[in-house]
Amino acid sequence: MEAIWIKNYPAGVPATIDPSEYPSLVHVFDESVKKFAQRPAYHSMGVDLSYQELDEKSLAFAQFLSSIGVRPGDRVALMMPNILQYPVALFGTLRAGAIAVNCNPLYTAPELQQQLKDSGAQTIVILENFANTLIKIIPETAITNVVVTSLGELLGAVKGTIINLVVRHIKKMVPAWELSGHYSFQAALARGAQHQGFNAAAIKAQLSHDSLAFLQYTGGTTGPSKGAMLSHGNMVSNVLQSCAWIGAGGREGGETIITALPLYHIFALTANCLTFMRFGAKNILIANPRDIPGFIKTLAKHQFTIFTGVNTLFNALLNHPDFSKLDFSSLRLTLGGGAAVQQAVADKWLAVTGITLAQAYGLTEASPAVTINPLSKDAVNQSIGLPISSTIVSIRDEAEVEVAQGELGEICVKGPQVMSGYWQREDETRQVFCADGFLKTGDIGYINPQGFVFLVDRKKDMIKVSGFNVYPNQIEEIVAHHPAVLEVAALGVSDPNTGEAVKLFIVRKDPNLTEQMIIDFCRTQMTGYKVPKKIEFRDELPKSNIGKILRRALKEQSV
């Protein structure tokens, strides 16, 4: 594929980046904490953590890991929401030369067991709210070192005590648990501060692009989740690619970014935590973004400049009456990813905030960014953007042959940010790569003459109606424009006449909305075979940890 997209790059964005600028993420981290030492790096529940404090505490945590026998290449599991302990533990893990294994705090016991066993992690840092899950399965894993933290542990004695009291005894959010020999987070830091014999500079010097930084587990939509092996080289490349795209638009020491998506997810991990660390940004951590009223109250306290999120989060905010009352005068960039951003949501975001909701695309296996739209206000389109620097996108058919420009096919990717493979899964690794090394994304799309990539849908979600291909994203995009619809999901269900038929799951904005009203609306907007045959109204739709609507869960419920 000729790189036709480069001619449409925003001014100043290079065609390629040089990953050799940093041997590892630890080198990026060290540069940032020195350069922005006095600037706040993270803010949580009214408390700031400066870059200097992040440097000191993460070093203490790295020394703690060394004191309990963790060595370079060992896996350390992190199971926390967006709280100050997460970046401290994350960068401490990387500085110890260990591999971070991010775990969703909402995992069930079997899900957690599978990931811990697969990764071989022997150490875990976990919020006490979820310790009850761990104790159910810990004998079936290799875990021998446990650090249990509380929500208020790094918030100061008074505030931390109050928050823990509320969480434990008033809201009763901490199920009973008991683990012998565990450390508190503060105890771990104290032990690390006293530990001798840890040479941070020596470990840093040993790290290279080939060293693994993360085992980042996929969502497991087609079976047990798999650990994408993301090296320091992969992650450094994606950080530099993202920084190159932002370019002069990123103000060093002058950005405040809203971090509502979980940092343990690849989107916020790379975009908010790592990329904007290089700009010295302040991350406003939102521990529970599903509490929309509480989220908006937090937003009202900050002059935020950058906002990242997913379609369902933007939609929920826009549909709360208090959101439009916020001061958006400081907001300069909004980036949407994780799932398709619906045009109806993007249009409303622009109308309310005055800022374009720029859509990006990526996947765990690519660290994650693959394409990003230009960030200027007038660059509004329904594409997922242009391939970023040093990235090639090729649209291919089932035989791995590139299709003609404008034709549909599977989006395949090559670049320095693409993983080397799945942890201890050679067969699955072979299946996901083309013979010439391109990563198969499992997404269907096309490229237009200007080089913009358009995502149509997940390959496995395509609906076959009387032999015609129907893509759920296209149906959802249309139905989302109905003024009485809050959220919508489309999927295929068995039909005796057409093989499959389109079924919609809808959350109503207007309780008077009926099935017939939706069908009549669809008949005016789409050809006959695409019109849904079945409609089910729900109070809510199942979502992933970042808010992506889970079609597979709806499919299972419809069987």
Side-chain angles (χ1 to χ4, degrees), residues 433-452:
F433 281 100
C434 297
D436 59 356
F438 274 79
L439 172 71
K440 301 176 185 179
T441 67
D443 290 313
I444 300 297
Y446 65 94
I447 297 179
N448 76 2
Q450 289 72 45
F452 284 89

Side-chain angles (χ1 to χ4, degrees), residues 50 56 58 76 89 111 165 202 204 227 231 253 280 303 306 328 364 378 409 433 446 460 463 466 475 518 520 527 559:
S50 71
E56 294 168 352
S58 64
V76 176
E111 289 170 328
L165 177 68
K204 176 182 172 183
S231 68
Q303 291 293 304
I306 313 290
F328 298 105
T364 300
D378 58 353
F433 281 100
Y446 65 94
K460 62 183 176 56
I463 306 167
S466 298
I475 305 298
I518 288 293
D520 290 345
T527 191
V559 174

Side-chain angles (χ1 to χ4, degrees), residues 66-81:
S66 173
S67 77
I68 60 173
V70 174
R71 299 292 178 259
D74 288 350
R75 277 77 66 203
V76 176
L78 307 176
M79 191 168 174
M80 293 167 281

Side-chain angles (χ1 to χ4, degrees), residues 288-495:
N288 181 18
R290 299 190 184 198
D291 174 13
I292 297 298
F295 186 6
I296 293 173
K297 287 179 182 177
T298 299
L299 291 175
K301 298 175 183 177
H302 301 277
Q303 291 293 304
F304 52 92
T305 63
I306 313 290
F307 200 122
T308 63
V310 293
N311 187 78
T312 51
L313 178 63
F314 297 130
N315 191 40
L317 289 169
L318 290 166
N319 280 285
H320 193 285
D322 292 339
F323 183 69
S324 61
K325 300 174 186 176
L326 294 173
D327 177 9
F328 298 105
S329 60
S330 299
L331 183 60
R332 303 187 310 106
L333 168 63
T334 306
L335 189 65
V341 175
Q342 293 169 342
Q343 195 62 39
V345 174
D347 291 344
K348 191 171 182 180
W349 185 269
L350 178 61
V352 171
T353 69
I355 299 296
T356 298
L357 204 174
Q359 187 168 192
Y361 166 78
L363 63 163
T364 300
E365 292 86 344
S367 304
V370 172
T371 65
I372 307 178
N373 267 291
L375 305 178
S376 59
K377 185 175 180 178
D378 58 353
V380 180
N381 63 57
Q382 292 181 284
S383 82
I384 54 175
L386 301 165
I388 56 180
S389 305
S390 296
T391 301
I392 303 173
V393 169
S394 176
I395 309 299
R396 301 187 171 191
D397 62 18
E398 292 285 348
E400 300 181 5
V401 176
E402 191 167 83
V403 302
Q405 188 182 101
E407 288 188 10
L408 288 178
E410 184 171 5
I411 300 172
C412 299
V413 182
K414 181 179 280 190
Q417 73 272 44
V418 174
M419 69 170 188
S420 58
Y422 294 119
W423 177 255
Q424 298 179 337
R425 293 176 185 267
E426 293 183 4
D427 288 344
E428 286 89 340
T429 298
R430 281 193 294 269
Q431 292 170 17
V432 81
F433 281 100
C434 297
D436 59 356
F438 274 79
L439 172 71
K440 301 176 185 179
T441 67
D443 290 313
I444 300 297
Y446 65 94
I447 297 179
N448 76 2
Q450 289 72 45
F452 284 89
V453 183
F454 288 78
L455 175 67
V456 176
D457 222 314
R458 289 292 292 168
K459 187 176 180 180
K460 62 183 176 56
D461 287 343
M462 186 175 67
I463 306 167
K464 279 279 191 179
V465 181
S466 298
F468 292 99
N469 295 341
V470 178
Y471 296 96
N473 275 348
Q474 295 178 336
I475 305 298
E476 293 166 1
E477 177 73 39
I478 292 170
V479 176
H481 278 85
H482 193 291
V485 171
L486 181 63
E487 291 181 338
V488 58
L491 52 82
V493 293
S494 179
D495 185 274

Side-chain angles (χ1 to χ4, degrees), residues 153-164:
E153 198 165 4
L154 290 188
L155 300 179
V158 175
K159 175 170 282 192
T161 299
I162 293 172
I163 287 177
N164 285 339

